[in-house]
Amino acid sequence: MSSGEVKRTGRPTDEAKREAILTAAADSFFAHGFAASSIEQIAADAGVSKVTIYNRFGDKRALFIAAVERECEQLRGNLEMPQVASGNLRDRLTAIGEAMTAFLSRPKMVQFERRIAAETEHESSVGEAFLVAGPWRMKRAFAALIDAMHEAGDIEVDDPELAAEQFASMCKGMGDLERRFGAAPDPQRNRERIAGAVEVFCRAYARD
Amino acid sequence: MSSGEVKRTGRPTDEAKREAILTAAADSFFAHGFAASSIEQIAADAGVSKVTIYNRFGDKRALFIAAVERECEQLRGNLEMPQVASGNLRDRLTAIGEAMTAFLSRPKMVQFERRIAAETEHESSVGEAFLVAGPWRMKRAFAALIDAMHEAGDIEVDDPELAAEQFASMCKGMGDLERRFGAAPDPQRNRERIAGAVEVFCRAYARD
DNA sequence: GTTCAAGTGAACGGAGGCGTTCAGATTGTC
DNA sequence: GACAATCTGAACGCCTCCGTTCACTTGAAC
């Protein structure tokens, strides 16, 4: 019935404007925070009237939520696990660790996490939504890989989710935390962390 | 010469007021963020005139820095490693893991980390100061413990700092991240994480 | 009791932001 | 061209906040 687009009379809404607004909003919110961002500035950056924002999103908080949801969607597209079914165990683990570190190290990602965490203080649903869209999804995917390795007889693991957490956590080490608090990146140390994680993981779980 | 207190004429400064101001400032800044906190509210909470704050701290930013520094000092006092020289390796590691998780799980700590990370976006010195006062100090202390275990012949470790990171990271697992994003705490899972970390660490590094 | 700095209360200027209103311009469909 | 909706620009009311000024009070030391 009402599925698909409903034919409406009058000037149609400009979806490009919606995108422009959300992009400007995300840029501002994630760079300056909710309180320090102004709707007027966002409207100017988006090349749009302030009234348009209010007409389409209601108020500042709703705009923030919409920006977060859009960012989570984009995030969802980027966290594909590398399809490394080939190679030996150590090579596959290394590839996974490197992909994950690269993914988490992007400045945009660091900034986004910082902001979501801060805003979780007052809007805990924001934090929960992020967990569902990002880390938990990633953990499940990675646990499935671990489980597949177990089924294939490469490793011996009781609790795949725990093992996934352990490997991912070791790869991150303190690098995650250091990025969050603005320390200079150290690619060499990151490689050592990944190599160390592979080594420890294999010593603990590899068969034979 | 000018060491010790200099005798001054006139009404002496009330140090209790300084403490009250910093406490109120920390409460507000870490709960609502820098931009969303108001000096007037902080003054009211501290039971102090707004002018007093300006006289003693200059401006809002300086007050924020002072509040952060004081919080870091308090943090410094709380992160003593448990002195568990007794017991076998697994028991000692478990005690360390539990102490660390308890320390990092306190709501105050979670809140503080969230805020420092957010504010690092604009004032990177804040993040660096925190790293020095907290995590890096903790890592060095823990690496020293690992090194002592190595010297004692309990474990065989090449890179104590890396091993310290690995064990701490496995203990945290995703619990750290989940706390930061407001998920409900799961003590059972935390215990499993610690037990799992001890197990993997021992399989990888324990002698015989 | 005098001296002098610390602290108070109230008011002010200036700025910026949220959300609203409204007349008018724009851009589609019938 | 008529219609109907979106979009715009400018202004407005209201509020909050920063940082300052100033006359005044408080309290310790001499």
Side-chain angles (χ1 to χ4, degrees):
Chain A
M1 276 299 206
S2 63
S3 73
E5 67 267 32
V6 185
K7 268 283 154 53
R8 304 244 319 288
T9 159
R11 179 178 178 174
T13 68
D14 186 341
E15 287 310 311
K17 282 191 197 306
R18 182 187 183 82
E19 285 307 299
I21 292 169
L22 286 176
T23 299
D27 285 351
S28 180
F29 281 138
F30 303 151
H32 309 112
F34 179 80
S37 293
S38 93
I39 300 260
E40 323 219 17
Q41 187 58 55
I42 291 171
D45 292 347
V48 151
S49 164
K50 181 171 63 155
V51 187
T52 301
I53 295 186
Y54 279 100
N55 284 341
R56 296 176 77 110
F57 294 96
D59 69 1
K60 196 184 181 182
R61 182 129 229 113
L63 177 61
F64 179 75
I65 304 283
V68 170
E69 282 172 356
R70 178 154 151 292
E71 206 70 13
C72 283
E73 273 176 40
Q74 295 195 344
L75 201 135
R76 220 165 285 170
N78 286 22
L79 58 67
E80 296 140 11
M81 283 281 165
Q83 295 301 357
V84 275
S86 64
N88 66 21
L89 180 62
R90 283 183 140 79
D91 289 346
R92 276 179 289 162
L93 287 172
T94 302
I96 291 172
E98 282 171 351
M100 194 187 63
T101 299
F103 177 70
L104 294 176
S105 298
R106 292 174 312 159
K108 180 122 193 172
M109 192 68 203
V110 175
Q111 188 191 50
F112 184 60
E113 284 197 25
R114 280 204 273 244
R115 192 52 57 186
I116 296 297
E119 236 56 67
T120 294
E121 190 81 37
H122 297 101
E123 191 81 30
S124 64
S125 61
V126 172
E128 191 112 5
F130 171 72
L131 280 174
V132 170
W136 281 344
R137 187 178 291 253
M138 200 162 188
K139 180 178 71 169
R140 281 211 319 276
F142 188 31
L145 278 185
I146 300 272
D147 203 39
M149 291 176 183
H150 175 87
E151 295 297 330
D154 293 329
I155 56 178
E156 174 75 38
V157 165
D158 280 342
D159 187 336
E161 291 215 342
L162 183 60
E165 282 192 28
Q166 289 171 332
F167 180 71
S169 298
M170 283 193 290
C171 285
K172 295 186 340 186
M174 294 189 71
D176 211 33
L177 195 138
E178 289 167 351
R179 279 191 291 276
R180 197 158 61 248
F181 294 108
D186 184 345
Q188 172 59 26
R189 194 54 170 166
N190 281 339
R191 276 191 296 274
E192 291 170 6
R193 287 178 175 123
I194 293 168
V198 171
E199 182 61 34
V200 168
F201 188 87
C202 287
R203 285 196 206 171
Y205 292 124
R207 232 162 198 164
D208 89 286
Chain B
M1 274 302 207
S2 62
S3 73
E5 67 268 31
V6 185
K7 269 284 155 49
R8 303 249 314 291
T9 160
R11 180 178 177 176
T13 68
D14 187 340
E15 286 309 311
K17 282 191 197 306
R18 181 188 182 82
E19 284 305 299
I21 292 170
L22 286 176
T23 300
D27 285 351
S28 180
F29 281 138
F30 303 151
H32 308 113
F34 179 79
S37 293
S38 93
I39 299 262
E40 323 219 16
Q41 189 58 53
I42 291 171
D45 292 347
V48 149
S49 163
K50 181 171 65 154
V51 187
T52 300
I53 295 187
Y54 279 100
N55 284 338
R56 295 176 77 109
F57 294 96
D59 70 2
K60 197 183 182 185
R61 183 127 228 117
L63 177 61
F64 178 75
I65 302 284
V68 170
E69 281 172 357
R70 177 153 151 293
E71 206 70 14
C72 283
E73 272 175 41
Q74 296 195 344
L75 201 134
R76 221 165 284 169
N78 285 23
L79 59 67
E80 295 141 13
M81 283 280 163
Q83 295 300 357
V84 275
S86 65
N88 66 20
L89 180 61
R90 284 182 138 80
D91 290 347
R92 276 179 288 161
L93 287 172
T94 303
I96 292 171
E98 282 171 352
M100 193 186 64
T101 299
F103 177 70
L104 294 177
S105 296
R106 294 174 311 159
K108 181 121 191 171
M109 192 70 203
V110 175
Q111 188 190 50
F112 184 60
E113 283 195 27
R114 281 203 272 244
R115 192 53 55 187
I116 296 297
E119 235 56 65
T120 295
E121 189 81 35
H122 297 101
E123 192 81 31
S124 65
S125 61
V126 172
E128 190 111 5
F130 171 71
L131 280 174
V132 170
W136 282 343
R137 188 179 292 254
M138 201 162 188
K139 180 178 72 169
R140 281 210 318 277
F142 188 30
L145 277 185
I146 300 273
D147 203 40
M149 291 175 183
H150 174 88
E151 295 298 328
D154 292 330
I155 57 178
E156 173 76 36
V157 166
D158 279 341
D159 187 336
E161 290 216 341
L162 183 61
E165 282 192 29
Q166 289 172 331
F167 180 70
S169 298
M170 283 193 290
C171 286
K172 297 188 332 188
M174 292 188 73
D176 210 35
L177 195 138
E178 288 168 351
R179 281 190 290 278
R180 197 157 61 245
F181 294 107
D186 184 344
Q188 172 60 27
R189 194 54 170 164
N190 281 338
R191 277 192 296 273
E192 291 170 7
R193 286 178 175 125
I194 293 169
V198 171
E199 182 61 33
V200 168
F201 187 87
C202 286
R203 284 195 207 171
Y205 292 125
R207 235 164 196 160
D208 86 288

